[in-house]
Amino acid sequence: MDIAELGFDPTDRAFLADPYPVYTRLRAAGRALPDDSGRWYLPHFADVHAALRHRGLGRIYQHRFTDEEFGRPATEQQHPRWAESERWSLLNLEPPDHTRIRRMVSSVFTAKAVAGLRPVIERAASDQWDAAGSGGEVELIADYAQPFSITVICALLGVPVQDGPDLLRWSHAIVKMYELHSTPAERSAAEQASAEFIEYTQGLIARKRAEPLDDLVTRLVQVREDGGGLTDAEIVSTVIVLLNAGHEATVNTLGNGMRALLRHPEQWQRIVTGEVSTADAAEEMLRWDAPLQLFERWVLDDGVELAGRTFTRGDRIAMLFGSANRDPQRFPDADAFDVGRGDAAHIGFGAGTHFCIGAPLARLELDVSLERIRSAAPELSAAAEPEYQPYFVIRGLQALHLRTVA
């Protein structure tokens, strides 16, 4: 059965507002469901989990095949600067390039380095909440989450905080290219943003090379493995993906999760009273209304067996993270929002080779933000009904207006 017949329509605002009943129908209908574009959608946790680790699948195919060999039309690059920004992105690369670059990035972007940022993150959370919430009402997305996240990333990268609005603007434009349906205007804006972000990052690299400081970009410039280091192009893609993926994940998880807490006030009380830790609550926020709903892979080899069928080279797999995270075969009472669930084995950050390298930082930002909101505004209510952005792949709210009582 075609997936659209079951109600899957990423252009429909009603579906975007609540895709989860449709996901229930998808899981009941089968393990691999086609659409009219040639994609095969996987709605079950076990199949998504397996696909993320399957060596016969890849984010790209160009490391092994030409377009002709892969049965695809010749690539006509209409957005060359965006493609340049993505060329060495860890989200897209496959081994051996992915292995080499990730190993070097991981050697300087360590769990210890992230943990060392806690005082910076706590200060940013406190300052931003105080600035946003002094009047008794907070718009969580624009007034707190976005500037907070950008401040943290600026501190991590060694970027002047006054450049934050440009980084935010570029990120919002570029991520539209990941959607299943983007408009010509959105693609044009992403191309322009990519060009500006590349040029900015190239200048940043040059400054860090001339005047090294204690920040991530300096460490990316200096890192060496077997006598070689990262090229400027590789650093550019790494900086862009760290900003875009990290910022969008933190902001959207916080917005989606706080909306869930407002709709389940008994769960918020469990956090306020300390019955449930803010770290555990953050994991349930990531699972229950995931900021990334879909991730795609190409089938690289004939005979790949997955989700109860055999795929051929050139097939396209769309893994439905949002559905997988609500699969009752993996998560008991999966549609229940339970901040004390204590299960971090969701697919909010992916899995396998492309597991999000920024997951520790995102988790820390969410933990600190929940701690700050809990202490500053234990009594919360919605000041207006929130609406989701009109996008599917990256799921987040347009705004979330909160009334606060200290």
Side-chain angles (χ1 to χ4, degrees):
M1 179 179 290
D2 186 287
I3 197 170
E5 298 175 45
L6 297 165
F8 182 86
D9 182 0
T11 66
D12 177 54
R13 293 302 293 262
F15 170 78
L16 295 175
D18 186 10
Y20 297 102
V22 173
Y23 290 160
T24 299
R25 293 200 291 273
L26 299 186
R27 291 192 300 270
R31 295 173 60 187
L33 306 168
D35 70 4
D36 59 7
S37 73
R39 289 183 178 88
W40 288 90
Y41 290 79
L42 309 185
H44 290 269
F45 181 94
D47 294 326
V48 170
H49 192 266
L52 285 167
R53 288 166 166 77
H54 203 298
R55 294 182 179 274
L57 306 182
R59 278 290 288 171
I60 56 174
Y61 59 82
Q62 291 86 351
H63 62 304
R64 287 182 50 184
F65 305 103
T66 65
D67 291 328
E68 183 179 4
E69 290 170 338
F70 202 65
R72 302 289 299 174
T75 302
E76 181 181 350
Q77 189 46 255
Q78 297 178 327
H79 306 98
R81 301 311 302 277
W82 176 77
E84 181 182 348
S85 76
E86 293 275 299
R87 171 64 183 87
W88 298 103
S89 168
L90 288 172
L91 272 179
N92 294 326
L93 290 175
E94 293 294 331
D97 285 327
H98 182 277
T99 306
R100 173 181 58 83
I101 293 175
R102 181 161 185 141
R103 188 165 53 234
M104 281 196 280
V105 174
S106 297
S107 72
V108 295
F109 188 40
T110 63
K112 181 179 179 181
V114 170
L117 286 171
R118 180 177 276 273
V120 174
I121 295 172
E122 289 176 338
R123 184 166 58 252
S126 180
D127 290 348
Q128 195 59 49
W129 183 266
D130 291 347
S134 58
E137 184 172 316
V138 177
E139 198 290 273
L140 186 74
I141 306 301
D143 292 345
Y144 173 77
Q146 289 178 347
F148 160 73
S149 176
I150 287 296
T151 297
V152 171
I153 291 176
C154 286
L156 171 71
L157 296 176
V159 170
V161 70
Q162 60 265 30
D163 294 348
D166 284 335
L167 302 182
L168 185 63
R169 176 172 56 84
W170 295 331
S171 175
H172 285 338
I174 291 170
V175 298
K176 301 299 186 296
M177 293 292 274
Y178 306 146
E179 294 295 329
L180 296 178
H181 305 92
S182 57
T183 67
E186 287 170 338
R187 293 191 289 273
S188 177
E191 175 73 358
Q192 179 63 34
S194 298
E196 294 175 12
F197 203 166
I198 289 168
E199 290 165 12
Y200 176 89
T201 309
Q202 288 171 336
L204 181 65
I205 292 168
R207 292 197 301 275
K208 300 300 182 181
R209 186 170 282 125
E211 300 178 11
L213 298 170
D214 184 20
D215 56 55
L216 183 58
V217 175
T218 296
R219 292 192 286 272
L220 292 174
V221 168
Q222 295 175 340
V223 68
R224 292 291 181 272
E225 179 180 271
D226 298 329
L230 296 169
T231 67
D232 283 8
E234 291 166 350
I235 298 173
V236 165
S237 289
T238 298
V239 168
I240 290 176
V241 75
L242 284 174
L243 173 78
N244 292 351
H247 164 75
E248 298 291 338
T250 299
V251 171
N252 292 327
T253 300
L254 190 59
N256 299 353
M258 288 305 300
R259 172 186 177 274
L261 287 165
L262 290 172
R263 292 183 168 229
H264 300 83
E266 77 287 354
Q267 299 298 317
W268 175 240
Q269 285 304 306
R270 296 176 73 191
I271 299 171
V272 170
T273 62
E275 175 195 342
V276 174
S277 72
T278 50
D280 279 348
E283 297 299 336
E284 182 69 348
M285 290 161 67
L286 283 158
R287 182 198 73 86
W288 198 75
D289 198 7
L292 180 64
Q293 292 281 308
L294 177 146
F295 198 63
E296 290 187 308
R297 290 258 174 99
W298 293 101
V299 177
L300 301 179
D301 301 303
D302 288 331
V304 167
E305 295 184 0
L306 184 67
R309 63 171 286 114
T310 302
F311 292 94
T312 58
R313 187 171 75 188
D315 285 340
R316 198 168 193 172
I317 304 293
M319 297 167 284
L320 291 170
F321 284 11
S323 177
N325 282 333
R326 293 283 195 101
D327 187 345
Q329 293 182 336
R330 171 59 185 80
F331 301 99
D333 200 10
D335 284 328
F337 182 61
D338 176 7
V339 293
R341 188 180 294 270
D343 192 337
H346 52 73
I347 308 182
F349 292 117
T353 301
H354 292 95
F355 181 79
C356 177
I357 196 170
L361 178 61
R363 283 179 159 127
L364 181 55
E365 290 183 68
L366 292 168
D367 183 18
V368 169
S369 289
L370 285 175
E371 286 181 350
R372 181 57 187 155
I373 297 170
R374 176 181 65 181
S375 65
E379 296 182 36
L380 288 173
S381 62
E385 182 63 25
E387 292 188 8
Y388 282 89
Q389 295 275 0
Y391 304 105
F392 170 65
V393 174
I394 295 177
R395 177 170 174 79
L397 298 175
Q398 296 186 40
L400 183 60
H401 294 273
L402 305 175
R403 290 192 185 91
T404 65
V405 179

